[in-house]
Amino acid sequence: MVLDLSQVHGGMLAEAGGKAANLGELIGAGLPVPPGWVVTTDAYRRVAAEAGLDGLIAAGGDGLAEKARERLLATPVPPDIARAVAVAYEKLPAGAAVAVRSSATAEDLPHASFAGQQDTYLNVTGAEAVLDAVRRCWASLWTDRAVAYREANGVDHAGVSLAVVVQEMVDARVAGVMFTANPVTGRRHEAVIDAAPGLGEAVVSGAVNPDRFVADARTGEIRERRAGDKRLLVRALPGGGTERLDTPPRDGFCLTDEQVRELAALGARVEEHYGAPQDTEWAIGADGGLWLTQARPITTLYPLPEPRDGLRVFFSFNVAQGVMGPLTPLGQATIKLLASGAAGAFGRPPADPREGPPVLVSAGERLWIDITTPLRSRAGRVILPRVMQVGEARTVALVRELAADPRLPVTHTSRRPLLRAAAHFGRRLRVPAKVLRALTRPERALAYTRKLGEDLDGHLRLPETATPADRLRHAQRMLGGAFPAIVSIMPTALTGYGLYALAARLSGTPLGEMQEVLRSVPNNPTTEMDLELWRLATRIEPEVFRREPVAELVRRYRAGTLPPVAQREITAFLGLYGHRGVAEIDIGVPRWSEEPGHILGALANYLRMDADAD
């Protein structure tokens, strides 16, 4: 029923719960953890069985949490369990204070943190008081908050048990929490430390405004110091228990720089042991000794791409496309096939087109482009800012800052690889001829583009007898093989961008302001669509759009009961532009023809404007 923490390891979640399993793992790794023992889940299960919790859980209904707590607190602790707890406590020095802490089997998991769901009792003295605290920890498995949290995370009540950790109390001079990766920025190896005088309960519970330190765990550099007012002090009382004291604001910091560096180094050891960033609790005793009192995985960090050699820089494909949310798996698969075709056009086809080229990776259900190689080449440092200025201007300053980072020195000095790829691309696409045509006969270049679109549309058609498998294979062939045809318009587009940059230079206009010009030139499909939508608003009956909510407009459109002109004209507009959507790059997001609410809402907004608006 009772195990010393030195006997516990990370694989004993079922017997010792998450907190005890982590503490035992830390002890086994040689990290400074206060000694103690754990009352195992077998003890809880015996008491829960005598309390009749299985039947109570099966019955369900309202008040489950309160009924379970009452039964556990009213059920006597079996004599052998009480004796085992007393024997373990009596091995400590007479009158020793301990911390009694809940350790649930659904706690401190890699995918969800149940921290704070169950109770902890500090500065407990005497065998009877320890046993009472153990009983109250068991009951805390059934607080309203814990029950609601389990239900929200799909954890079966009947499958959860609770162990109880009893550790020698650290009468902390200073205590707090430390994240081994920055939970706000996601930056790895950057320790974020919150600290306040007294016991760590003040910081863990969020009751105090602590000092905050941010330190590089690898170099020991302290990047940020921010003093809190530290108005609350939690301290141990003689004879047991704790008290909370409101104190005047405290000037200065409660940790020295050396202690901050020592904590960051300790956090790095914990992270290295687990192989993942950790959320830890710590305390510094009256003698200056540093102790770890908990470690659990950080479950809220943005996921990184699969590790690669050295420092890598990734550019968000999503942000460049204006899609801030995640891409569906279908959308990602589609873009990877298109990117494989692009890589083939430059003479570097990937081994598996479905995986995409190596420079395109997925993380957090977004796609990212590895720009490390161009960033570390002389030619890339010239080209990248210019490309970004047109496609994602906000990134230009970041690219220039990274180019000055000493961790990213130039390692690719030769321009031959770039020239070879450009030559391969140029020969395959007949770039010189297409550039000349774009400069001298722009109407022919536009006609070629329209003809290409018509040809691709024709290739997409399949007979009605095609099976779903036939359609899937055809989609894969088109996405993987059609890119050379699609990219054949790139010389024309690049010529346009070159003239665009030339116009900006000759006129002395920043490229950002030139966007207004780009939106105004002929043959811009988005501008043409916007203008057509405005013209549509001038042709349809306005009253119903000014009066009805958008949801009702959508219902009436689908039912075919809008006023006749509006029904006809909107159908024609969606026939031409309904393949578009708010987040077009994400395959799986409804098109306007499927969900016309966005378009109908835009029309309603136009028609509700001031009647004198131009």
Side-chain angles (χ1 to χ4, degrees):
M1 297 296 163
V2 172
L3 290 174
D4 191 275
L5 284 176
S6 63
Q7 299 174 274
V8 178
H9 56 75
M12 296 176 67
L13 182 67
E15 300 97 325
K19 187 178 273 88
N22 279 344
L23 291 171
E25 189 74 17
L26 293 170
I27 290 172
L31 292 160
V33 175
W37 69 89
V38 58
V39 183
T40 68
T41 55
D42 286 342
Y44 168 81
R45 279 191 286 266
R46 277 184 55 190
V47 174
E50 293 184 17
L53 285 197
D54 287 345
L56 196 63
I57 294 168
D62 294 336
L64 171 62
E66 184 179 1
K67 293 173 186 175
R69 288 197 306 273
E70 289 175 351
R71 289 200 186 185
L72 283 169
L73 290 171
T75 301
V77 178
D80 59 326
I81 296 176
R83 188 165 52 253
V85 171
V87 168
Y89 178 76
E90 287 165 3
K91 292 179 180 178
L92 300 175
V98 294
V100 182
R101 313 168 70 194
S102 302
S103 180
T105 53
E107 181 176 335
D108 298 343
L109 304 177
H111 60 278
S113 177
F114 289 71
Q117 300 300 317
Q118 286 82 44
D119 289 346
T120 288
Y121 298 93
L122 302 176
N123 199 37
V124 181
T125 59
E128 285 298 321
V130 170
L131 187 61
D132 181 61
V134 169
R135 187 207 307 264
R136 284 184 285 161
C137 284
W138 288 336
S140 73
L141 187 62
W142 294 95
T143 62
D144 293 336
R145 180 186 177 194
V147 169
Y149 197 81
R150 288 199 295 272
E151 290 175 350
N153 284 273
V155 176
D156 182 12
H157 295 308
V160 177
S161 295
L162 188 118
V164 180
V165 175
V166 182
Q167 286 179 282
E168 290 187 28
M169 180 78 179
V170 178
D171 189 7
R173 188 179 69 205
V174 182
V177 299
M178 171 174 56
F179 297 93
T180 67
N182 194 315
V184 177
T185 66
R187 184 171 290 171
R188 271 57 169 182
H189 311 298
E190 187 173 77
V192 177
I193 301 165
D194 285 346
L199 302 181
E201 172 66 18
V203 179
V204 172
S205 65
V208 69
N209 179 20
D211 293 342
R212 169 160 290 188
F213 305 87
V214 179
D216 188 321
R218 292 166 297 190
T219 66
E221 175 195 359
I222 301 175
R223 295 174 174 169
E224 180 183 332
R225 299 175 184 84
R226 191 190 71 201
D229 55 32
K230 305 178 284 293
R231 288 175 178 266
L232 178 71
L233 175 70
V234 178
R235 67 181 183 184
L237 288 172
T242 61
E243 67 174 350
R244 293 187 170 210
L245 295 176
D246 292 325
T247 62
R250 296 168 180 251
D251 295 330
F253 296 102
C254 60
L255 291 178
T256 66
D257 285 358
E258 186 56 37
Q259 287 172 324
V260 171
R261 281 189 279 269
E262 186 181 356
L263 273 166
L266 179 61
R269 289 175 60 196
V270 177
E271 180 174 312
E272 183 180 7
H273 176 73
Y274 283 104
Q278 299 290 303
D279 167 9
T280 68
E281 297 173 23
W282 55 270
I284 297 177
D287 61 355
L290 175 58
W291 297 94
L292 271 173
T293 56
Q294 182 57 308
R296 62 179 70 87
I298 303 176
T299 58
T300 56
L301 290 176
Y302 193 90
L304 297 179
E306 289 296 319
R308 300 185 176 192
D309 293 338
L311 179 65
R312 313 299 297 185
V313 180
F314 293 92
F315 172 72
S316 173
F317 177 87
N318 281 52
V319 170
Q321 295 295 331
V323 181
M324 304 306 172
L327 295 175
T328 62
L330 181 60
Q332 293 182 52
T334 299
I335 294 163
K336 286 178 179 178
L337 280 168
L338 285 168
S340 294
F346 283 92
R348 296 184 177 182
D352 184 352
R354 291 172 299 181
E355 292 297 320
V359 296
L360 188 66
V361 300
S362 178
E365 300 307 320
R366 278 88 167 166
L367 289 175
W368 303 81
I369 302 170
D370 187 341
I371 62 169
T372 311
T373 297
L375 192 59
R376 300 187 69 173
S377 73
R378 286 178 179 166
R381 290 186 174 190
V382 173
I383 295 170
L384 269 179
R386 295 180 180 178
V387 173
M388 299 294 187
Q389 186 68 58
V390 175
E392 180 50 45
R394 293 168 296 181
T395 309
V396 174
L398 296 175
V399 168
R400 288 176 176 153
E401 183 178 339
L402 288 167
D405 193 313
R407 296 172 298 170
L408 294 166
V410 171
T411 55
H412 305 280
T413 57
S414 174
R415 297 187 178 183
R416 290 180 183 175
L418 177 64
L419 294 174
R420 279 198 299 269
H424 185 279
F425 181 80
R427 286 194 302 271
R428 184 164 184 175
L429 299 184
R430 299 173 54 239
V431 169
K434 290 178 178 175
V435 169
L436 181 62
R437 179 173 62 189
L439 288 170
T440 60
R441 299 290 181 87
E443 70 284 350
R444 289 191 179 181
L446 290 169
Y448 172 82
T449 302
R450 285 191 288 269
K451 177 66 165 54
L452 176 64
E454 293 167 1
D455 290 344
L456 288 172
D457 282 343
H459 289 310
L460 286 173
R461 298 188 185 96
L462 282 174
E464 293 294 328
T465 56
T467 66
D470 292 335
R471 294 179 184 277
L472 179 60
R473 283 192 292 269
H474 183 65
Q476 289 182 340
R477 283 195 300 271
M478 286 295 296
L479 289 166
F483 191 86
I486 297 171
V487 82
S488 67
I489 67 167
M490 286 302 294
T492 303
L494 291 174
T495 302
Y497 276 121
L499 295 174
Y500 173 64
L502 179 61
R505 174 164 290 190
L506 291 174
S507 66
T509 306
L511 276 175
E513 295 179 21
M514 285 289 290
Q515 287 288 338
E516 294 184 21
V517 177
L518 193 65
R519 291 292 302 271
S520 308
V521 296
N523 302 299
N524 185 314
T526 300
T527 301
E528 291 174 351
M529 179 188 69
D530 290 343
L531 291 171
E532 179 55 33
L533 185 64
W534 175 256
R535 285 190 287 268
L536 173 60
T538 67
R539 295 197 297 266
I540 62 178
E541 301 87 344
E543 291 79 12
V544 66
F545 284 84
R546 290 173 180 160
R547 184 180 66 249
E548 301 284 1
V550 173
E552 177 61 15
L553 293 173
V554 172
R555 186 198 68 77
R556 291 188 60 178
Y557 173 73
R558 286 176 171 160
T561 60
L562 284 177
V565 175
Q567 190 75 34
R568 181 182 70 249
E569 295 286 345
I570 293 169
T571 300
F573 179 88
L574 292 176
L576 188 60
Y577 296 109
H579 63 284
R580 302 193 68 171
V582 176
E584 294 176 309
I585 201 68
D586 192 0
I587 309 300
V589 171
R591 308 294 108 180
W592 288 332
S593 57
E594 299 164 334
E595 294 290 346
H598 181 82
I599 292 299
L600 296 180
L603 287 170
N605 284 339
Y606 284 154
L607 292 168
R608 291 167 186 167
M609 290 170 119
D610 189 319
D612 296 329
D614 183 359

